[in-house]
């Protein structure tokens, strides 16, 4: 199944929002938040991997290749990923990524129209 760039950006934006909710909820156990955030970061990395380079090039402040590689690291080198890295990424990098994905999404036509 092939997905459009608009759908992939929507996936990124949605996952970023969910991550923000997880890390902002002090009532959730840290271990569960860690696992949930890791999974959403994998989702983001996979979606970013399939975005056209000519699209992401318009947001050069985001290290798109590193975002994509994050999915590989979290799935293949899971044993070498610390909570500090995951939570730091969620709190610091994800908001910037979300803003960039929103800007990119705004430049693309709505496929439902």
């Amino acid at each position: 199944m092939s997905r459009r760039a608009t759908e992939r950006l929507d996936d990124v934006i949605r996952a970023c929002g969910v991550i923000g909710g997880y890390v902002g909820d002090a009532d959730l156990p840290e271990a569960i938040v860690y696992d949930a955030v890791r999974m959403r970061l994998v989702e983001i990395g996979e979606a970013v991997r399939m975005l056209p380079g000519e699209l992401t090039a318009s947001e050069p402040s985001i290290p798109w290749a590193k975002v994509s590689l994050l999915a590989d690291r979290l799935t293949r080198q899971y044993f070498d990923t610390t909570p500090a890295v995951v939570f730091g990424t969620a709190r610091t990098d994800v908001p910037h990524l979300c803003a960039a994905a929103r800007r990119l999404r705004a430049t693309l036509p709505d496929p439902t129209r």
Side-chain angles (χ1 to χ4, degrees), residues 2-80:
S2 178
R3 300 194 73 215
R4 295 180 176 104
T6 53
E7 294 170 305
R8 293 185 190 283
L9 287 168
D10 288 343
D11 291 342
V12 171
I13 293 164
R14 192 171 19 261
C16 288
V18 171
I19 288 172
Y22 291 153
V23 298
D25 189 337
D27 293 330
L28 292 174
E30 186 174 299
I32 291 174
V33 173
Y34 173 69
D35 287 343
V37 169
R38 283 177 46 217
M39 190 62 222
R40 293 299 180 150
L41 290 173
V42 168
E43 183 180 326
I44 289 169
E46 290 300 316
V48 164
R49 178 186 326 278
M50 301 307 291
L51 290 173
E54 59 271 9
L55 177 63
T56 58
S58 64
E59 287 286 343
S61 67
I62 301 297
W64 297 102
K66 287 184 178 181
V67 173
S68 176
L69 289 173
L70 181 60
D72 288 337
R73 180 173 181 177
L74 290 171
T75 56
R76 293 182 180 88
Q77 295 176 340
Y78 59 89
F79 52 85
D80 196 28

